Amino acid sequence: MPDNSNKKIQFNLDPEIAQGVYANIALIVHSPSEFIVDFAAILPGVQKADVRARVILAPEHAKRVMLAMQDNIRKYEKQYGTIQMQGEPRSETINPFSGSGNQGEA
């Protein structure tokens, strides 16, 4: 069986997708077979968030994304300094406007 570990993956990025979407809140849920991450945008003082993108991952891929994010945050902080967070992160929902202790819903 050939060794595919050294092959580079080429990504095709559609111009519309390349524009990206803004999200400032994420909701993560899981089942035994998948993780679902909803990225949404919410305005301060508003109790409704509009989901902008949904990503569905197999558990192994979810863990790979987590490890890649940890690595990239470490590199970012080494280059630009520590990322300051207000308060403690929430368990499943990260809401940047939750200074009052209210947790947003997506």
Side-chain angles (χ1 to χ4, degrees), residues 11-80:
F11 287 83
N12 182 33
L13 185 59
D14 182 277
E16 186 174 318
I17 299 295
Q19 292 180 26
V21 295
Y22 177 77
N24 58 8
I25 188 170
L27 175 66
I28 302 170
V29 297
H30 65 274
S31 72
S33 60
E34 61 195 12
F35 280 76
I36 300 170
V37 185
D38 285 334
F39 293 96
I42 189 168
L43 296 173
V46 177
Q47 294 300 312
K48 183 179 178 187
D50 294 322
V51 174
R52 303 294 174 95
R54 172 172 279 185
V55 178
I56 302 169
L57 302 159
E60 179 182 353
H61 293 127
K63 191 163 189 175
R64 289 180 189 277
V65 169
M66 179 198 70
L67 293 171
M69 287 295 295
Q70 287 176 333
D71 182 53
N72 275 271
I73 289 170
R74 181 186 54 76
K75 290 174 183 175
Y76 176 96
E77 289 184 330
K78 184 177 181 182
Q79 183 173 356
Y80 300 109

Side-chain angles (χ1 to χ4, degrees), residues 44-45 47 86-87 90 95-104:
Q47 294 300 312
Q86 297 179 7
R90 308 290 174 169
N95 184 350
F97 303 114
S98 64
S100 63
N102 295 332
Q103 193 169 9

